Amino acid sequence: MRFSGAIGDRYKEFYGAPFMGQALAEKLGCISVIISYRVGERFPAHAEDVASAIAWVYKNIAAFGGDIERFFLTGHSAGAHLVSLIALDAQYVNAVGVPISFIKGVASISGIYTLSHPMDGGFNGWANWAYRKVYIHGTFGDVVKDWELASPITYVRKIAAEILKDKVEGAESAPAPAPPSVTSTASTSSSSIETPMSPPREQKDELLTKFGDPLASPRRSGEHDEDGTKQAEEEQKEMLETSTPPIVSVIGSYKDAKNNTEHLTVDLIGSKNHYVPPFLVINAESDLGLEYDGRVFFTALGDAGLIAEYASIPTTNHATVTRSYATIEKIRDFIRRTINQLNGVEIDDLEIL
């Protein structure tokens, strides 16, 4: 069976989509669908265009021999921002009649995940100030809240917070544990009392602190200024004081011996049936400073207990990373691992073309 893929960038050779589409088709034997979206429009026109292209694939790819059970998204730069956002915020595909579970994986290359400050140096750093001036204000407006709503990392943190909340509520509604058992012996007057063990407080703090901003209330437009100095922290502090650690259920795993990484399949049924596909986050070795945001995004995915891999492609920059066979091979291996895991195949049995 063939499987389908969409590349979220324009047709021009400079952006890498033609090369990537052809190379992935050759390496994987897949159908590569190269899409376009409007440029120069205000957001969310771009995300809506990508969602419409996904809907076309969902409804029509079988006629070309594609398998709708094996659909992967990949995008570069602004395209990476769009495919990541769409995979994490289901409203875009739901609006065009496509279930979010249609997306089986995302390979995001040199993407922007935190629109307000994707580079190191903080909100007020000169690089982030210049970036916003050139790329953000004209497309996403001037309201910081709107930037947050268009940032993929916002939804990772939201999902992390909801997973935690659902697990805490589940623990609170669970039946009370059986009374402690007491065992006595005739030869001693002492009793041995067995009691349930709770996590050490320091472990609880460490686990909960990892979620950081996700536990804070969504900030309102009035709580922002261009300096980015105001933070909403009260609910986070309350959760740290009152909650138990998150419990993420692992329902399967496989080991990638080559890269010495463990991949987990996370049970999200207890978190309002959130579906989040596996992510491969890729950066060029020299990536205009966006490698910082790539690592932050990858870390947030991992902290939420979601499936994610990260790769930096040596000797590439932001423009050449999509034309590197090392990038193609990373995506190829990621897709094959994900498909084999979905099919319950051990990683040792993975066939690499």
Side-chain angles (χ1 to χ4, degrees), residues 10 21 85 113 134 291:
R10 297 175 289 285
L85 179 66
Y113 312 102
V134 174
E291 54 269 42

Side-chain angles (χ1 to χ4, degrees), residues 7 11 48 60 76 87 97 164 170 178 193 196 207 246 252 275 300 338 350:
I7 294 181
Y11 69 93
E48 292 168 351
N60 296 286
H76 168 250
L164 173 59
I193 301 177
L207 288 169
Y275 172 83
T338 303
L350 180 63

Side-chain angles (χ1 to χ4, degrees), residues 269-343:
I269 294 176
S271 55
K272 297 183 174 60
N273 291 314
H274 280 299
Y275 172 83
V276 179
F279 270 78
L280 170 62
V281 182
I282 294 177
N283 280 111
E285 182 178 17
S286 178
D287 215 349
L288 302 178
L290 295 175
E291 54 269 42
Y292 172 81
D293 205 24
R295 290 192 294 267
V296 170
F297 182 63
F298 165 71
T299 301
L301 289 164
D303 285 349
L306 303 172
I307 304 173
E309 301 177 41
Y310 181 85
S312 179
I313 307 302
T315 67
T316 60
N317 59 39
H318 190 76
T320 63
V321 65
T322 56
R323 296 192 290 276
S324 166
Y325 274 105
T327 303
I328 299 300
E329 289 170 359
K330 288 288 185 184
I331 298 172
R332 174 201 65 184
D333 294 351
F334 166 73
I335 291 175
R336 284 192 162 274
R337 278 194 296 269
T338 303
I339 288 175
N340 277 272
Q341 187 187 9
L342 290 171
N343 294 337

Side-chain angles (χ1 to χ4, degrees), residues 68-269:
I68 66 169
E69 297 300 323
R70 297 181 174 189
F71 176 78
F72 290 78
L73 284 170
T74 183
H76 168 250
S77 194
H81 161 254
L82 290 171
V83 297
S84 298
L85 179 66
I86 286 169
L88 290 163
D89 183 3
Q91 66 164 313
Y92 298 103
V93 291
N94 287 346
V96 292
V98 177
I100 192 67
S101 58
F102 176 55
I103 303 170
K104 295 301 186 289
V106 178
S108 185
I109 308 164
S110 301
I112 301 93
Y113 312 102
T114 313
L115 293 187
S116 60
H117 53 289
M119 303 171 192
D120 200 3
F123 190 96
N124 293 317
W126 70 268
N128 286 314
W129 178 87
Y131 161 81
R132 290 194 300 270
K133 204 77 171 174
V134 174
Y135 294 108
I136 297 301
H137 291 288
T139 301
F140 298 91
D142 301 321
V143 180
V144 177
K145 180 65 176 178
D146 292 341
W147 304 346
E148 289 184 352
L149 293 176
S151 295
I153 200 165
T154 297
Y155 300 93
V156 176
R157 290 171 171 167
K158 178 181 177 183
I159 290 166
E162 291 185 358
I163 291 173
L164 173 59
K165 180 176 180 291
D166 293 342
K167 294 298 183 180
V168 169
E169 289 177 351
E172 290 174 349
S173 62
S181 60
V182 179
T183 58
S184 301
T185 61
S187 60
T188 177
S189 59
S190 63
S191 298
S192 172
I193 301 177
E194 301 170 0
T195 59
M197 294 295 292
S198 59
R201 179 67 198 188
E202 55 271 19
Q203 179 185 1
K204 179 190 296 186
D205 289 343
E206 178 182 358
L207 288 169
L208 289 171
T209 301
K210 286 177 67 177
F211 285 86
D213 289 342
L215 300 182
S217 299
R219 287 174 282 178
R220 302 176 178 84
S221 298
E223 294 176 315
H224 293 283
D225 53 21
E226 185 64 13
D227 293 333
T229 56
K230 298 182 181 178
Q231 300 289 331
E233 297 178 343
E234 291 305 316
E235 287 194 11
Q236 178 182 351
K237 292 178 181 178
E238 181 180 350
M239 289 288 284
L240 287 171
E241 289 299 320
T242 61
S243 300
T244 56
I247 304 170
V248 178
S249 301
V250 178
I251 59 175
S253 66
Y254 63 92
K255 190 169 183 65
D256 176 2
K258 181 179 178 181
N259 296 313
N260 193 32
T261 54
E262 186 79 14
H263 303 269
L264 306 179
T265 301
V266 180
D267 177 11
L268 298 182
I269 294 176

